[in-house]
Every structure is written in structure tokens, then in C-alpha cells.
């Protein structure tokens, strides 16, 4: 009797697993216009600076880290991505080669505005120091919704991430040819209201005049809330090979970016009267 119960339980478990695998879910964000998100970013970079000295190649260890906390209110959206947003930074700090950097409190209000293929970030309350500008050049959270296919997808199905989304998230000035990138998304699992997505692919382009090859590793994961229709977390993992250029040395880097993204009401600092 016990054996029969165990067998039936196993049959039911397999049937449920197959049903879950066959289930399709819509992977696309709800309307973005006027939506607000509280964002936490954490960046960790480790790698080598490769230099030539007296005819010999030397590799110098390089490390950088950064943390950002801000609320982002979308002011304009198009093609499933935010085009313009106001941001209120609670914190923005980084350590690059042992040197700390932070944002002045009176520059907490920022506007991020996509113009053509670039996101321009500026402070309505006055100019920024160069070090402060670098603090705003983190991963483009306006582009994150573009990673989703905006259609019904079953577990195991894949899709190609659009070129302009890849360029924005990799922070490249241009891509090397129309088909020199292919980042693939895959729906890995659906548990309750949570869908888990993986990304992987290779991107080739240019930044500050230098060739860049970026490998988006399979460890990259997205968490999507099916009920709210919002991306709530991104674990972005990439390995970079950056050739020497006019403004940068030769770099080989491993980059880890963790994003927590919580939808909610806009704070008073981003209210209608302020904007």
C-alpha cells in the first residue's frame, strides 16, 4: 500500500512539473510612464591593467566598487524602455583604485535623458564635478525593461535581446557591425508569481574610441514578478577585454552588478511641484 502511494505521489509530481514547464507566462513590463522604482545598485570590478614597460608586458591588479541607492520616476517612455526619468539619490559612492568618491547632498536630484544611443545625466541644480559625473555612469536602469521579450513565453524558450538594449546596458558608444552582438534570454523557471530568466551572449563594440569585447556570462539572472509585471532584481555578470585606446589602457575585467528594483510611490523629492 505504501509503495503504491509513493508511486502515485511520484506520478503527480512529474505531472505537475510537466504542466509547469508547459505553462506560458507574459514577460513584459506594465506601462512605465509615471511609474517609480526604488533602486539599489552594487558594483564590483576586478581585473588587470595591462601595460608595456621597457619592452615587457606587465599586468597590474585593478579593483573598484560602488554602491548607489536612488528612486527613479519615469517621465517619458517608448518601445518598452524609459526615455527620461528624474532621480533622487540617497547615496552614490565609489572606491576606484583605493580612492573614495561621493555625491554632494545638494546634487541628489538628477535627470537621466536618453538622446539617440546615449543617456545624458545632469543636475538641474548646478554643474557636477568630473568625479560626480562618473558616479552617474552606472548601469542604465532605464533600459532594464528592454531585456524582456514582451510576449508569452514557456519555460525553456529563448529570445534575442534587441541591439539598442544591449548597447545601453553594456555602456558602449557603438557596436561593431549590425550583427556583432547576440545576447539571448531564456525563461528558466516559474515558481508562484516569480519568473527566473537567464542571459548570455557576446557583444563587440567601441567605447571612448577603443574596441571592446564583452561576454555576458550565463550566471546573469533576472527576477520578474508576474503579478506586478515588474523586473525586481538583476544579477548582471560580464567579462570584458578592452583594447588600449586614446583614453584608456588595455584592460581585462570581471564585472558583477547587482540591482534591486522595487516599484512604489514617488517620494516628495520627486513630486509634481518639484519637477
Amino acid at each position: 500500500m505504501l509503495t503504491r502511494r509513493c508511486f502515485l505521489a511520484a506520478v503527480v509530481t512529474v505531472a505537475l512539473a510537466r504542466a509547469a514547464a508547459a505553462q506560458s507566462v507574459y514577460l513584459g513590463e506594465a506601462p512605465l510612464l509615471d511609474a517609480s522604482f526604488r533602486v539599489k545598485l552594487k558594483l564590483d570590478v576586478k581585473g588587470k591593467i595591462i601595460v608595456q614597460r621597457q619592452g615587457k608586458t606587465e599586468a597590474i591588479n585593478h579593483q573598484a566598487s560602488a554602491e548607489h541607492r536612488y528612486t527613479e520616476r519615469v517621465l517619458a517612455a517608448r518601445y518598452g524602455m524609459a526615455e527620461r526619468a528624474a532621480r533622487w539619490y540617497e547615496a552614490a559612492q565609489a572606491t576606484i583604485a583605493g580612492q573614495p568618491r561621493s555625491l554632494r547632498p545638494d546634487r541628489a536630484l538628477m535627470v537621466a535623458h536618453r538622446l539617440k544611443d546615449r543617456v545624458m545625466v545632469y543636475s538641474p541644480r548646478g554643474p557636477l564635478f568630473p568625479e560626480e559625473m562618473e558616479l552617474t555612469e552606472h548601469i542604465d536602469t532605464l533600459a532594464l525593461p528592454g531585456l524582456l521579450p514582451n510576449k508569452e513565453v514557456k519555460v525553456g524558450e529563448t529570445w534575442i535581446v534587441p541591439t539598442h538594449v544591449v548597447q545601453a546596458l553594456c555602456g558602449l558608444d557603438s557596436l561593431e557591425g549590425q550583427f556583432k552582438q547576440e545576447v539571448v534570454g531564456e525563461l528558466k523557471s516559474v515558481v508562484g508569481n516569480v519568473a527566473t530568466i537567464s542571459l548570455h551572449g557576446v557583444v563587440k563594440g567601441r567605447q571612448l574610441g577603443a574596441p571592446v569585447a564583452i561576454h555576458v556570462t550565463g550566471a546573469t539572472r533576472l527576477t520578474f514578478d508576474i503579478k506586478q509585471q515588474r523586473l525586481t532584481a538583476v544579477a548582471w555578470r560580464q567579462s570584458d577585454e578592452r583594447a588600449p585606446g586614446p583614453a584608456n589602457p588595455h584592460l581585462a575585467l570581471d564585472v558583477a552588478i547587482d540591482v534591486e528594483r522595487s516599484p512604489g510611490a514617488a517620494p516628495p523629492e520627486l513630486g509634481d511641484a518639484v519637477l
Side-chain angles (χ1 to χ4, degrees):
M1 191 69 177
L2 181 61
T3 302
R4 182 183 177 187
R5 288 179 180 176
C6 292
F7 174 76
L8 290 174
V11 170
V12 171
T13 300
V14 171
L16 289 174
R18 289 180 175 175
Q23 178 189 8
S24 63
V25 295
Y26 181 79
L27 297 181
E29 288 236 326
L32 287 165
L33 183 62
D34 209 36
S36 296
F37 304 91
R38 192 169 190 274
V39 179
K40 294 182 180 179
L41 292 180
K42 186 175 182 181
L43 167 74
D44 185 47
V45 178
K46 295 180 181 178
K48 305 283 186 182
I49 300 175
I50 302 169
V51 298
Q52 297 289 331
R53 290 181 178 174
Q54 298 178 347
K56 296 182 179 180
T57 301
E58 294 185 23
I60 303 170
N61 289 332
H62 177 69
Q63 190 168 349
S65 61
E67 291 190 22
H68 296 74
R69 296 193 309 275
Y70 60 89
T71 300
E72 186 169 73
R73 179 180 174 185
V74 179
L75 305 178
R78 185 174 60 167
Y79 305 136
M81 290 172 52
E83 291 289 302
R84 187 170 70 253
R87 292 174 177 165
W88 180 264
Y89 282 85
E90 299 174 32
Q93 51 196 23
T95 301
I96 303 174
Q99 299 297 317
R101 302 179 181 184
S102 60
L103 191 66
R104 286 172 289 169
D106 61 355
R107 295 296 185 268
L109 178 63
M110 298 277 187
V111 175
H113 190 176
R114 189 181 310 283
L115 298 172
K116 296 184 179 179
D117 296 329
R118 302 281 296 176
V119 171
M120 307 291 289
V121 180
Y122 59 90
S123 167
R125 295 179 175 172
L128 301 171
F129 294 133
E131 295 82 3
E132 292 176 313
M133 281 299 302
E134 291 178 2
L135 286 172
T136 69
E137 295 171 354
H138 47 68
I139 189 170
D140 182 3
T141 51
L142 300 182
L144 290 178
L147 293 170
L148 301 171
N150 293 310
K151 65 179 182 179
E152 294 277 342
V153 178
K154 294 180 181 179
V155 173
E157 287 189 340
T158 62
W159 62 91
I160 303 298
V161 178
T163 300
H164 66 282
V165 177
V166 173
Q167 181 177 341
L169 290 170
C170 290
L172 297 175
D173 299 327
S174 63
L175 297 177
E176 291 293 319
Q178 185 178 1
F179 302 104
K180 291 300 183 182
Q181 71 82 20
E182 187 171 285
V183 174
V184 178
E186 179 184 353
L187 178 58
K188 302 296 288 186
S189 66
V190 177
V191 179
N193 287 320
V194 177
T196 301
I197 299 161
S198 72
L199 295 172
H200 70 276
V202 177
V203 184
K204 295 182 180 181
R206 286 185 173 270
Q207 187 179 53
L208 299 177
V212 180
I214 296 175
H215 178 211
V216 180
T217 74
T220 299
R221 288 289 187 273
L222 314 179
T223 302
F224 180 75
D225 188 308
I226 298 170
K227 187 176 182 179
Q228 296 188 83
Q229 289 187 280
R230 296 298 186 198
L231 272 176
T232 56
V234 176
W236 184 275
R237 303 291 183 266
Q238 68 181 59
S239 296
D240 297 7
E241 187 70 29
R242 297 174 178 263
N248 283 327
H250 185 181
L251 297 169
L253 305 172
D254 290 319
V255 181
I257 304 171
D258 291 298
V259 184
E260 294 180 22
R261 183 173 178 262
S262 305
E269 292 86 355
L270 296 178
D272 292 340
V274 176
L275 298 184

